[in-house]
Amino acid sequence: MNSLTDTYTLAGGVEIPCVGFGTWQTPDGDVAIESVRTAIEAGYRHIDTASIYKNETGVGEGVRQGLAAAGLAREDVFVTSKLWNTERGYDSALAAFDATRERLGLDYLDLYLIHWPAAAHQHENWRELNADTWRAFEKLHADGRVRAIGISNFKPSHLQALLENAKVAPMVNQVEFHPGFLQEETREACAKAGILLEAWSPLGQGKLLGDPTMVEVAKRHGATPAQVAIRWCLQHGALPLPKSATPERIVSNANVFGFELTGEDMAAIDALEIGRIGGDPDSVPF
Ligand code: A2P
């Protein structure tokens, strides 16, 4: 990967720009509009939001303003949103997609994800629930209303169950992935099924940036620890989704193509032990 316009190719052939701009915890309104516009002007071509972030209206407006400012067309930017947990099931997923699309003000989405799997700790019928939701996703995809479909926070057990009934396999699994949390089993299961792994919180929500190894590797490359974390994701073949609402950081986080981590750097970062910062899909209370 040499620039923000370089892409991974998803199963089915859709091209997805290799770094996405994250918007979790970005407030709706001016902050969402301005950070998304700034990101597109800075060269990001991939924006990630979700129904539960409650910022789709601002993100959609930011996309329109960014496209206008950068002289781009709708198809030049890749937009993802996600179905919230209260919207699972066939009919409610179809309705939720319409509401998301309307809030974003877009004719189509590039990628739509099931945000969290229904799981056994909350749903006896979790397999059926995920299968019903997925049928709605397959319909949205077949109807051309979304170019690619996928999942988020699915562990291998949730993925295997979904694949048993799926006509179209998920193209993406977006999970927590950052230095100190390697997700080996999930990465392996995704690779086997031809699923691209996207990394949420690639900066560990900012918490891993002071780690001495990150600081040292960054210094050696004349980079920031955030740039090293993003680069590390890319060199693992994952798609990082760094979030920032700070203009200088939005610009700086995109500047990850002028250096390459060595095998030694990668091994030193791989050896970090930080663990999960977000929720475990098998025990989240939502
Ligand atoms: P802010 O949005 O105020 O700039 P993640 O993407 O792993 O969830 O991390 C997002 C968090 O990391 C946010 O709190 C964001 O703060 C912070 N952050 C983003 N980029 C940088 C950076 N380059 N240096 C330090 N903190 C950053």
Side-chain angles (χ1 to χ4, degrees):
M1 299 294 169
N2 296 308
S3 86
L4 291 171
T5 52
D6 282 355
T7 56
Y8 289 105
T9 303
L10 302 178
V14 169
E15 307 256 321
I16 181 168
C18 65
V19 176
F21 181 64
T23 64
W24 179 49
Q25 293 181 326
T26 298
D28 201 10
D30 288 348
V31 179
I33 295 170
E34 270 153 39
S35 57
V36 170
R37 189 187 61 216
T38 302
I40 294 174
E41 287 183 287
Y44 292 79
R45 293 293 175 264
H46 173 174
I47 310 292
D48 182 275
T49 184
S51 160
I52 194 66
Y53 299 173
K54 308 269 183 233
N55 61 14
E56 288 171 314
T57 305
V59 166
E61 181 57 25
V63 167
R64 276 185 294 283
Q65 291 192 12
L67 292 177
L72 297 169
R74 164 70 184 91
E75 56 270 25
D76 295 325
V77 72
F78 191 100
V79 180
T80 301
S81 194
K82 314 184 191 84
L83 174 98
W84 187 239
N85 301 353
T86 51
E87 303 168 324
R88 293 174 180 133
Y90 185 81
D91 291 330
S92 40
L94 292 178
F97 177 85
D98 278 337
T100 271
R101 202 184 44 70
E102 261 177 43
R103 283 189 295 268
L104 282 163
L106 300 175
D107 293 338
Y108 67 90
L109 258 63
D110 293 283
L111 177 64
Y112 196 42
L113 304 176
I114 299 181
H115 205 147
W116 292 84
H121 68 297
Q122 282 180 324
H123 299 277
E124 213 172 298
N125 65 339
W126 63 275
R127 293 164 187 272
E128 292 74 25
L129 197 46
N130 290 331
D132 285 349
T133 307
W134 191 247
R135 272 196 304 116
F137 275 53
E138 289 174 330
K139 173 160 175 58
L140 293 167
H141 181 242
D143 290 350
R145 306 182 68 203
V146 58
R147 297 174 62 227
I149 49 177
I151 54 184
S152 180
N153 299 302
F154 274 53
K155 289 182 167 183
S157 56
H158 310 127
L159 172 61
Q160 290 321 324
L162 192 78
L163 288 174
E164 279 169 26
N165 291 303
K167 289 203 186 82
V168 177
M171 296 157 196
V172 162
N173 189 10
Q174 183 181 124
V175 300
E176 179 178 350
F177 178 63
H178 49 71
F181 189 54
L182 280 166
Q183 289 273 31
E184 266 143 347
E185 285 168 15
T186 297
R187 273 164 57 218
E188 202 176 306
C190 287
K192 222 186 242 172
I195 296 171
L196 176 71
L197 189 122
E198 292 188 346
W200 61 256
S201 288
L203 314 176
Q205 297 176 28
K207 289 177 189 136
L208 57 84
L209 303 178
D211 176 274
T213 301
M214 296 299 291
V215 171
E216 196 240 294
V217 172
K219 211 179 261 172
R220 211 151 0 95
H221 289 281
T224 67
Q227 289 166 339
V228 168
I230 293 163
R231 183 78 214 178
W232 174 88
C233 281
L234 287 169
Q235 289 188 217
H236 268 303
L239 191 157
L241 301 163
K243 176 265 175 184
S244 177
T246 314
E248 307 78 59
R249 290 173 174 173
I250 294 172
V251 171
S252 147
N253 290 349
N255 189 7
V256 294
F257 301 101
F259 67 102
E260 186 165 7
L261 300 174
T262 64
E264 247 172 60
D265 296 332
M266 291 296 285
I269 298 171
D270 285 354
L272 295 178
E273 287 181 21
I274 292 168
R276 257 185 215 287
I277 294 174
D280 182 325
D282 278 324
S283 59
V284 287
F286 42 78

